[in-house]
Structures are given as C-alpha cells and as structure tokens.
Amino acid sequence: MNFKSIEEFWYGEPTDRENFYLNIEGDVHAFLEGTSFSSSSESWYQGEKIYSFSKEGDFQNVSIFNKDSRIEVTEHYRFFKDSNAVQVYNTVKNKGEQSFNILHFSSAVINLDILGNLPWHDENRFKIYTVNSHWSAEAQWKISTFSDFGIVPGRNDDVIFPVRHNLRSEGSWSTARYYPIVIIEDTEQNVSYFVEHEGGLNWEISFGGEWSRIVLETNSANFHHDGWYKTLNKNEEFSTTTAIIGRVEGDFEQAIKHLIKAKRQLSLVESTMPLCYNVFLGGVWGEPTKENLLPLIKAAGELGCEVFCIDAGWYRKAYTTSENHSLGDYVPDAVRFGEEGLKGILENMQQNNMLPGLWFEFEAVNIKMQGARNGEGML
C-alpha cells in the first residue's frame, strides 16, 4: 500500500501535499504569521525528492529524500481495524555533511478538502470542536466557526491569508487548559476531520489558512511555542511525538466513534479495558462523603461503568482548607463515610457491579507527613 500522503490514501488521487511542516534555522522562507510557521522552509520544499516505501511493525512508512539538502523525512502511519483513525509520527534524518537546527517539525498535518457549493468561511459550513479543560471545569466542549478565531477570506473567497489559531499546553499537565484534540466538521460534505496529540507533555494544535487551503496541524516541537529546537549532526535523526488523525464520513459523533475504536486497539489490554468513572471536581468537588457518593455509585453502575474511583479527599478530614493536610499518609477519614467507613463505600461499589478504586499521588506527598519521612503510617 504505497501513497505519498494520507490525503492520497483517503481520496485515491495523486497529491503533492505532505503530512508535516519542517523548518530549518536560517531559511528565508521560514517566516511567521502570528505565532505559527506558514509552511515548510526552503531547505525542505525546494529540490528534487525521491520517495520510497516500507513497513516496520504496525507502521506503513513513506520516506522522502531531498537530494539537494540531503534531508530525509519518514512519515509513519499506523492503521486500525474498523476505524478511519490513523496513528502518525514523523522522523527527520540528516544525511548530509553539515549540521542544521530544526525550529519546527510536525507530528501530523491534515489538508482539508474545502471544495463545495458553500465557501469555506460560510458560517453554516464548518464547525470547529475544541475542549476547554481547566482543573475545575473539565471536558467543556465548544463549537465555533473559523471567523470566531479571526480566520477570514482575503481578496476573494479563494485566498486564505496565513492566519492560524493555536491551542497549547506547557509542561506535563497536558490538559491544564485544553484537551489536546480538535475536530472540524464539514456539514456540506458530511465529513469530519480530527487530530489528537498524544503524550503528557508540551503540545500545540493549529488550524487555519494557507493561501488556498485549510490545514489542521499538531506538534510538540516548535521554537516559537516554548523555545524548542534540535541540532542534527551528520547521520543523526529526530522523531516527533505521536498523534491520531482521521477523516470520517459523518458528523462529530462519527469522528468520536472512530477515534475511540483506535484508542481501544492501542491499549495494552484492548479486550478487557474497563469503563472507569473517576469522581473529582465536577462530581463532588474534592469532598467525597457517604451522602454524595452513594447516588453517584448507583448511577454509574446503572450506566454500565465497570470501575468507580474516589479521587482526592478520601484520606482528609472533611472540609479542611488545604489539600496538603494528610496528603501522603493516606489514612481514610473516620467521619466522612459514616459508621461503615470507607470499607462500606468500597463494598457498595462491588454491590453495584464495579471494581472499587482510590486515588493516590505519591509524587505530591507533603514533606511534613509521616509517610514522607519514614514510610510508616501509610495505608
């Protein structure tokens, strides 16, 4: 199965599009529009290219060698049973004599099909789904249009100036501001595109215009995001983080179904991966008690959940002002769970056909706790 880009595979038509951007320090064309590169730089997009194809494990590989710059990029694609989702990542290798610095390299790029009766900027055509995800307001789905992000036509409907909107997260808390996913639904063509960045680390998802097309890109390697860069000496290579991308027939719901099918196949225990409900801020706001847990346990069991996990607070005296109180000794509070205690709550989960679970965070133990000092007194 040989193809030069995922769009060629999806549409069955030849294309010169690539599923990445690569920017090299010092290239004239590596200019910025706002906070994102507009395309790959001259070291990559100029020069004769040689394509080769291979298979390695679960991945189909497309290698592109630039004879002029002696740079080789390999696109890695992993397909899934009964799903249009594809896991992807990219590798760049220096096959020349001179070192160079990478300033930006994509995990994945999707080129959207914007042909149709309605122009791409029509308010009724494209829906953009993003997810706000703050500590106290997780999984807040938002539906927007391109114009909501300042992405509008240029001189005419065919010109889209290089303007993008960027969703970002810094550090290991990958869902501190947004969940790393964007879904774009084309209501006229009845298709949906999606990208999800994988990994608990820095990430960026961008979408917007590139003169004559709309692109959806994700990366965790961008100098203008967090100062990232990578020097490649002779014969050295660098691989990006992975992402899951897809194009499906249907709406937002169909995109989610295909994405879930892929993620379940990626799990280490695909056939037995349980459905878990973790009760935290949106459920009990860090104050688990018998009164507020029992109705949630009953409802979760009726919905078919297989694991119920009590998050922060089960070890802490009720309604204390600081999470640090008792964080590390993990001794169940003697008051919050009634006469039967925490044991009774866990048994109630089992009675509702769920495995009981408790939240621990050993890397955040309060240094004043006994468990942090000598390991004694812990649950």
Side-chain angles (χ1 to χ4, degrees), residues 135 279-281 284-289 292 310-337 342 358-359 366 369 379:
W135 196 1
V279 56
F280 185 42
L281 291 181
V284 300
W285 295 97
E287 294 293 348
T289 63
N292 58 29
I310 304 177
D311 208 298
W314 58 268
Y315 50 82
R316 189 185 65 209
K317 292 183 178 180
Y319 307 109
T320 54
T321 58
S322 173
E323 180 66 46
N324 288 331
H325 293 177
S326 302
L327 181 55
D329 289 345
Y330 295 115
V331 176
D333 181 69
V335 177
R336 358 172 124 249
F337 304 113
L342 178 60
L358 295 175
W359 171 90
N366 188 331
M369 294 298 104
L379 179 64

Side-chain angles (χ1 to χ4, degrees), residues 119-157:
W120 64 269
H121 55 85
D122 189 288
E123 297 287 309
N124 297 312
R125 182 170 177 183
F126 284 101
K127 295 180 180 179
I128 303 172
Y129 296 82
T130 57
V131 188
N132 290 345
S133 185
H134 303 281
W135 196 1
S136 60
E138 299 171 308
Q140 305 296 303
W141 284 94
K142 304 295 180 183
I143 306 175
S144 310
T145 65
F146 285 118
S147 63
D148 291 332
F149 300 105
I151 303 168
V152 296
R155 293 184 297 272
N156 53 59
D157 289 348

Side-chain angles (χ1 to χ4, degrees), residues 217-236:
E217 188 238 11
T218 186
N219 73 79
S220 60
N222 186 349
F223 178 82
H224 294 275
H225 175 187
D226 56 9
W228 179 96
Y229 78 95
K230 176 69 176 178
T231 300
L232 286 189
N233 300 312
K234 180 181 178 180
N235 293 325
E236 291 183 339

